[in-house]
Amino acid sequence: MEEPELGLHPDALDKLAELMKLASERTQLIVTTHSDFLVDAFIDDPETVVTFEKDGESSTAKRVNAVELGAWLDRYTLGEIRQSGHIGGNRY
């Protein structure tokens, strides 16, 4: 699913995430997003989030590691952590 948040009200993203979690129990889902609100809905299972980082001419994928983030997850949402640059997916 590519950017399923497009055209949706931000308040609907929690319900969308809930439906994606239910669907993922039956099949593998690959979802791309630029929405911190949608990523935030996966705070209870951060290892399901994979970020991509541009490195020159290629991109590197990295799974979010809850152990490495430690106390960050107690204080910030996944979207806030992404914006700070701690889990990749940087815009530049």
Side-chain angles (χ1 to χ4, degrees):
M1 297 170 57
E2 184 171 344
E3 298 187 34
E5 72 277 4
L6 296 180
L8 290 179
H9 190 280
D11 290 344
L13 296 181
D14 283 337
K15 184 64 174 174
L16 173 63
E18 181 182 319
L19 293 171
M20 290 189 318
K21 290 174 187 179
L22 286 172
S24 72
E25 293 173 3
R26 295 183 307 276
T27 189
Q28 179 182 15
L29 292 181
I30 298 174
V31 179
T32 62
T33 186
H34 290 102
S35 170
D36 290 329
F37 294 114
L38 185 56
V39 172
D40 286 346
F42 294 88
I43 190 86
D44 58 334
D45 194 9
E47 286 85 6
T48 62
V49 176
V50 177
T51 62
F52 287 81
E53 192 74 43
K54 186 166 176 64
D55 183 25
E57 295 296 317
S58 62
S59 294
T60 304
K62 183 176 180 187
R63 185 170 301 278
V64 171
N65 185 318
V67 174
E68 286 179 10
L69 292 177
W72 284 88
L73 288 170
D74 294 333
R75 298 184 63 198
Y76 302 100
T77 68
L78 283 174
E80 291 170 330
I81 297 169
R82 188 202 62 80
Q83 287 178 8
S84 72
H86 282 82
I87 60 171
N90 294 331
R91 292 178 278 180
Y92 308 105

